[in-house]
Amino acid sequence: MTKKIPIIFDTDPGIDDAAALTVLLSNKQFDVRLITTVAGNVSVDKTTANALKLTHFFNRRDVPVAQGAKKPLVKAFKDASNIHGVNGMPGYQFEATNQKPLSLNAVEAIRKTLTESTDKITIVAVGAFTNLAKLIQQYPESLEKIDRVVVMGGSIAGGNMTSVAEFNVYTDPDAAKILFDSGLDITMIGLNVTQKALLTNESMNVLSHMNETGNMLTQLFSFYGDGNLANGKPMHDVNTLFFLLAPNKYVLNDYWIDVVTDGPAIGATVADIQSFDHQSTNIHVATDVDSEAFNAWYLLEIAKITDTAVNAGKVEK
Ligand code: BDR
Ligand code: CA
């Protein structure tokens, strides 16, 4: 059997975050050490509650959840409830759970998890990078335990907040700059690629008849304000996990990326594609994805999850 990938997953669920957490919590190839939450799609109280709904749904009491930053380092916080609904995961009534987050906050929990680990850990970050920036600033000695960082965020070709800024970086550009300048081994799967990894309407129809997990996801997707039924809906955050399991389905190029932290281009991730200003590179940047393979893989992942393995709730009428 292939070696499991030890992971800390930093997230702001969020509908596409939920689609990613579904794979994270059910695929045995991931050794999930910790989930941390951040303010982003909705407030951190809501993203934490949503993460706990999913650890309960997938019977993963063994996976601790730690609550993280309530707001970005500098910029004022503004959520994306216009895309993800007021509670961040609308449309499905999850079974109530008495599970609570850890008493440690996200930064302390990440540090503890890294420090106590005998092997190096992959960090996957699919929300604003506020928690990671704080870790880098407060506990630089813990970074040697990080194997690599895979992020959904940024874009080298157009944004979804402004013409140049993607939401996760736009939400906390100062944190993104600290992360991108940290010297860690970072792979950026940005909007330029995730907008190609659309879950098609056909795939969503298949999911809806598959099992309770497919039902749960399609209920959430029906409230997801990103993408459309004609072309499909972007599963931005899921790409980080597909990349870890099937890196050959992505094209990567190494670039120096600068993060813009003020002015009209705030939140832009500018790639020095001609090596004009930088002789070195700091980020492995995804530039393409096999979207057919993405759809086929996602359906297979969900098909593997039996109804007996989940704590199903009721569909909201
Ligand atoms: C990113 O922003 C959030 O709304 C999504 O969850 C994803 O992480 C896409 O720009
Ligand atoms: Ca997200």
Side-chain angles (χ1 to χ4, degrees):
M1 191 179 150
T2 44
K3 193 175 174 298
K4 288 184 175 213
I5 306 171
I7 287 197
I8 295 173
F9 195 80
D10 191 50
T11 181
D12 63 337
I15 294 172
D16 60 318
D17 301 73
L21 283 159
T22 293
V23 175
L24 183 82
L25 293 168
S26 56
N27 187 314
K28 301 271 182 297
Q29 279 179 269
F30 298 118
D31 171 11
V32 191
R33 304 280 178 90
L34 176 68
I35 292 172
T36 52
T37 58
V38 66
N41 287 322
V42 287
S43 73
V44 76
D45 289 340
K46 291 176 183 174
T47 61
T48 307
N50 290 341
L52 289 167
K53 283 178 200 168
L54 290 165
T55 53
H56 177 71
F57 184 87
F58 291 107
N59 268 316
R60 295 298 307 267
R61 272 190 172 271
D62 59 305
V63 177
V65 174
Q67 179 157 314
K70 277 193 182 339
K71 58 185 179 59
L73 296 180
V74 179
K75 200 164 172 266
F77 174 58
K78 194 162 183 329
D79 71 22
S81 53
N82 58 322
I83 303 287
H84 295 265
V86 173
N87 82 352
M89 283 185 0
Y92 187 83
Q93 195 177 331
F94 289 88
E95 198 177 88
T97 169
N98 56 9
Q99 272 177 261
K100 298 264 180 301
L102 296 175
S103 52
L104 287 180
N105 71 38
V107 177
E108 300 296 334
I110 297 173
R111 176 194 178 222
K112 184 167 187 286
T113 305
L114 289 172
T115 310
E116 291 177 355
S117 177
T118 50
D119 42 10
K120 288 195 171 192
I121 296 182
T122 294
I123 297 199
V124 177
V126 297
F129 308 130
T130 321
N131 294 330
L132 295 186
K134 289 183 177 183
L135 180 84
I136 291 164
Q137 289 183 322
Q138 293 170 26
Y139 300 116
E141 72 287 351
S142 69
L143 306 185
E144 65 180 28
K145 288 288 189 64
I146 297 175
D147 183 24
R148 67 195 301 196
V149 182
V150 178
V151 305
M152 188 285 134
S155 175
I156 59 163
N160 55 0
M161 294 304 290
T162 68
S163 57
V164 290
E166 178 280 331
F167 178 78
N168 290 339
V169 175
Y170 183 80
T171 296
D172 195 342
D174 300 281
K177 182 165 173 50
I178 290 167
L179 175 64
F180 282 24
D181 290 352
S182 66
L184 288 165
D185 182 323
I186 300 172
T187 301
M188 167 181 140
I189 308 184
L191 205 64
N192 53 295
V193 157
T194 64
Q195 277 181 334
K196 294 183 190 168
L198 301 169
L199 196 67
T200 64
N201 194 20
E202 199 184 5
S203 294
M204 284 186 267
N205 281 336
V206 174
L207 270 185
S208 68
H209 297 109
M210 197 173 256
N211 52 26
E212 189 54 29
T213 302
N215 174 44
M216 179 271 285
L217 289 168
T218 40
Q219 297 300 330
L220 301 187
F221 295 160
S222 68
F223 284 82
Y224 186 30
D226 208 344
N228 55 54
L229 287 182
N231 299 316
K233 301 203 171 198
M235 295 295 132
H236 306 287
D237 298 347
V238 183
N239 282 273
T240 54
L241 302 180
F242 186 43
F243 169 73
L244 284 172
L245 298 177
N248 61 331
K249 301 299 180 194
Y250 290 79
V251 177
L252 294 187
N253 287 287
D254 288 354
Y255 294 125
W256 187 277
I257 299 273
D258 278 308
V259 182
V260 180
T261 55
D262 59 15
I266 190 167
T269 44
V270 181
D272 185 4
I273 54 174
Q274 304 275 12
S275 302
F276 204 68
D277 285 328
H278 301 272
Q279 296 319 308
S280 56
T281 61
N282 63 346
I283 310 283
H284 313 295
V285 181
T287 53
D288 208 357
V289 57
D290 180 341
S291 57
E292 265 182 44
F294 177 83
N295 273 263
W297 164 80
Y298 197 69
L299 294 184
L300 275 178
E301 286 291 311
I302 307 308
K304 286 189 292 192
I305 307 170
T306 61
D307 284 354
T308 50
V310 303
N311 289 312
K314 287 181 266 110
V315 177
E316 264 176 350
K317 296 284 180 224

